[in-house]
Amino acid sequence: PACDLFRRWRINGIPMASFADIHLDSGIARGIVRGDRRAQAVAYRLMSPTIMGMAVRILQDEGLAQEVVQDTFVELIDKAHTLKDPAALVAWVRRVAVNHCYMRLRSPWHKRRSPDPEVPEQLDDSNGDERLQGYRDMERALAVLPAETRLVIWLHDVEGYTHREIGELTGQTASYSKSQLARGYGKLTQLLRGDEDDGTQADTVRPACSP
C-alpha cells in the first residue's frame, strides 16, 4: 500500500522528520517558557527544519513554508509563557505550525494561485538507487494530490494525528478525514504503480494503514 512507503522511508533513514523525532531538553523547554533567548535559539535550531519540511510538503510553496516557520516562532516567543507544562512544548509548537499551514491552505489567495496540478504521465526517472527513487516518486506523487488530501495524509501518517483530531482541526468530522485518507492512498497507489486513473479506484481503495 502507498502508506507503507512512509514507514519504509523512516526505517531506511530517508529524510522525513516528524515532531516525534524532536527531543527537547527539559531545561531548554523551561527556559523557553521563561523567555530565555538562548533557549529560544536552541529551539529554533532543533525545530525549524521539521516545521519547514512539513510546511513545504503540505503547501508545496517554499516561500509560504518559510512564513509558517517564522510565524510559528513568533507565536512561540509571544505565548510560550502561557504553557503550564513545559514538557508539552513540542506538541504545542506542532499544533501552532499545523494551524499556520492550514490557514494558508484555506486562504482564497492560496486556492486561486494553486489549482490542483495535472497528474504526471510517468514518475520514474530511472535513477539506479531504488531507495532514493521511491522517495522522489512519493514526493512528486504527493505534490499532485488535492491540498487538503495532502494535509490529511501528512498529519495522519507522519505526525500521528487521529482522524478525530484532523476532523477538529479542519472543522470536519472523523469520517471526512478517513475519506480523504482513503482517496489519497488510492491516488498515490495509482501514481506509484503507473496505473491509469479512471476516476473510480481512488474512491474504493481502503487505507490499509488507517486505524
Side-chain angles (χ1 to χ4, degrees):
C3 51
D4 284 347
L5 276 181
F6 287 101
R7 292 176 181 174
R8 288 205 295 271
W9 285 359
R10 301 292 295 281
I11 292 170
N12 292 332
I14 293 295
M16 190 204 292
S18 75
F19 281 86
D21 301 316
I22 296 175
H23 303 288
L24 196 65
D25 181 85
S26 58
I28 296 296
R30 289 194 297 271
I32 293 168
V33 172
R34 292 196 307 268
D36 182 88
R37 290 182 179 272
R38 288 177 295 181
Q40 291 168 356
V42 171
Y44 184 87
R45 187 172 68 251
L46 288 176
M47 291 192 280
S48 61
T50 299
I51 298 171
M52 184 68 183
M54 177 185 72
V56 80
R57 288 182 175 97
I58 290 174
L59 299 171
Q60 294 295 307
D61 185 300
E62 187 170 340
L64 289 178
Q66 289 172 343
E67 289 180 9
V68 168
V69 174
Q70 293 169 1
D71 289 351
T72 298
F73 277 94
V74 167
E75 195 160 340
L76 173 66
I77 292 169
D78 289 345
K79 298 182 180 179
H81 68 277
T82 65
L83 279 177
K84 295 180 179 179
D85 181 10
L89 187 136
V90 173
W92 181 82
V93 169
R94 180 181 71 164
R95 185 168 64 252
V96 170
V98 168
N99 284 337
H100 280 296
C101 286
Y102 187 61
M103 284 191 296
R104 284 166 173 79
L105 242 178
R106 297 292 293 167
S107 72
W109 178 83
H110 185 270
K111 287 185 175 182
R112 284 196 302 271
R113 70 181 294 274
S114 303
D116 292 336
E118 295 182 359
V119 176
E121 293 182 2
Q122 186 176 11
L123 289 173
D124 186 6
D125 60 12
S126 300
N127 186 282
D129 189 330
E130 291 184 4
R131 210 163 49 101
L132 292 177
Q133 182 57 48
Y135 172 73
R136 281 191 290 268
D137 284 352
M138 181 63 93
E139 288 278 8
R140 294 166 65 189
L142 279 172
V144 305
L145 294 178
E148 289 200 26
T149 302
R150 193 166 57 238
L151 173 77
V152 169
I153 287 179
W154 187 268
L155 294 184
H156 182 272
D157 283 6
V158 180
E159 290 300 335
Y161 275 67
T162 66
H163 290 300
R164 180 183 59 79
E165 290 170 334
I166 295 171
E168 290 173 353
L169 170 70
T170 57
Q172 302 285 346
T173 64
S175 295
Y176 164 84
S177 175
K178 292 177 182 179
S179 175
Q180 289 289 330
L181 194 70
R183 293 180 181 184
Y185 284 161
K187 179 61 71 177
L188 287 175
T189 299
Q190 289 174 3
L191 292 171
L192 294 168
R193 289 178 178 172
D195 294 341
E196 292 296 326
D197 181 7
D198 61 6
T200 59
Q201 182 179 353
D203 289 333
T204 58
V205 173
R206 283 188 174 272
C209 297
S210 176

